[in-house]
Amino acid sequence: MDQAGNGTSEHSEAHLRSILATVPDAMIVIDEQGTILSFSATAERMFGFGEDEVAGRNVKMLMPSPDRERHDGYLSNYLDTGQRKIIGIGRVTTALHRDGSTFPIELSVGEAWLGEHRIFTGFIRDLSERQQTLLRLQDLQSELAHVGRVSEMGTLASSLAHELNQPLTAVASYCEGARELLDRNPTDEDLAMAREALDEAAEQAVRAGQIVRRLRDFMSHGEMERRAESLQRLINEANALGLVGSREHGIDVQMALDPLADEVFVDRIQIQQVLVNLIRNAIDAMIDAPQRCLKLTTRPAPKNLVEVIVEDTGTGIDPALAPQLFQPFVTSKQNGMGIGLSICRTIVEAHGGRIWVEPRADGGTAFHFTVPAGEPRQ
Ligand code: ADP
């Protein structure tokens, strides 16, 4: 650390080292320029570099594009404005291993002053590690189930309409029966029967109400919460989650994100679900391909929309499936459910956008979708 010249005393350095040796998460300390001051033993294992190889170098070497090119800017922007985008907040993003592969991480950054100098400490958890992966995937799956409900809504509504018919028909016939009993000169017995029929009718009406309430509960879970969101952030997180478990396939990820098309007005979880579905499909299609490149592009689109493109160099779409690709239960995978793309379409269309697929000229597939931009562009 002294070589890096941050001027810590021997005592605090020894203290820091003892912490570094024991923290279970990887820990990387950098100075205000982004120069690596220390690199914990876990970080060495996680990134495949020894501390002596990274100390004194810029931390962006541990990031894939586009963060690699942008990190200096992020840092100086924070030093200039004090505006916190990550410090004390934490986020899911992607890291670069020595061997060139990328892996998903959860990064939290703290800030401290050492005399005149400021240092930043990053704690990093590798989400591709089994346990973390499982946790994250569970979260994701429960969210997926949630979103899945939205696309099932049509089917559910028709089955509920059918279910509703029963109690309503019963109410009608009990009321009819009661009226007939009351119409003739009713005996005490008739009156008792009429009362019973009306009780039954009330009970059936309550049942119908419960069915309607069930439908409403179901729909309210699928309700959208739209906000202005940064597409870059959504994509980074979705990419990290989508790539979970695919490290061994050596996927090369490229991003071409237009800063002019960054702000979108969307339900974050739902649009991340679309992205994760498309990224997972892209990876599935590339597993045996000679070239495995995933490209994520954003650009402004007409009518105040933003277009997102998820491209792969995989097998391309099976022509037999192409016409019904976005229909539910269409799959070419042994363990596939075939609902991913139908969910994507439901979500995108609920946002007022459109989703479509195009073959790539040199093989592979490009899925395009549009979502509303955050603010009207000039
Ligand atoms: P699942 O992935 O469970 O099969 P999806 O609805 O997500 O369900 O996808 C349906 C089918 O569309 C897949 O089984 C696959 O045949 C095809 N498909 C989707 N994305 C791609 C892609 N990027 N490249 C090639 N085929 C794809």
Side-chain angles (χ1 to χ4, degrees), residues 281-282 284-285 312 315-318 321 325 330-333 336-342 365 367:
N281 277 344
D284 286 348
D312 66 65
T315 50
I317 303 287
D318 177 347
L321 296 187
L325 205 60
V330 170
T331 183
S332 61
K333 300 175 194 170
M337 296 246 298
I339 55 167
L341 289 177
S342 82
T365 310
F367 277 88

Side-chain angles (χ1 to χ4, degrees), residues 131-144:
Q131 223 187 354
Q132 289 303 323
T133 305
L134 287 179
L135 280 179
R136 273 276 153 183
L137 282 183
Q138 268 166 12
D139 277 0
L140 209 62
Q141 269 160 1
S142 68
E143 280 167 7
L144 176 67

Side-chain angles (χ1 to χ4, degrees), residues 18 26 35 59 62 68 147 160 179 224 264 304 331-332 362 364 366:
S18 75
T35 308
V59 71
L62 305 172
R68 172 187 285 250
V147 177
L160 282 186
R179 213 190 61 201
M224 286 205 286
V264 286
N304 203 33
T331 183
S332 61
D362 46 355

Side-chain angles (χ1 to χ4, degrees), residues 223-229 264-268 270-271 347-353 371-373:
E223 243 167 45
M224 286 205 286
E225 276 184 48
R226 295 218 254 168
R227 307 210 162 92
E229 301 278 357
V264 286
F265 189 64
V266 298
D267 181 300
R268 181 176 64 84
Q270 293 193 356
I271 293 302
I347 294 175
V348 169
E349 289 180 355
H351 278 80
V371 283

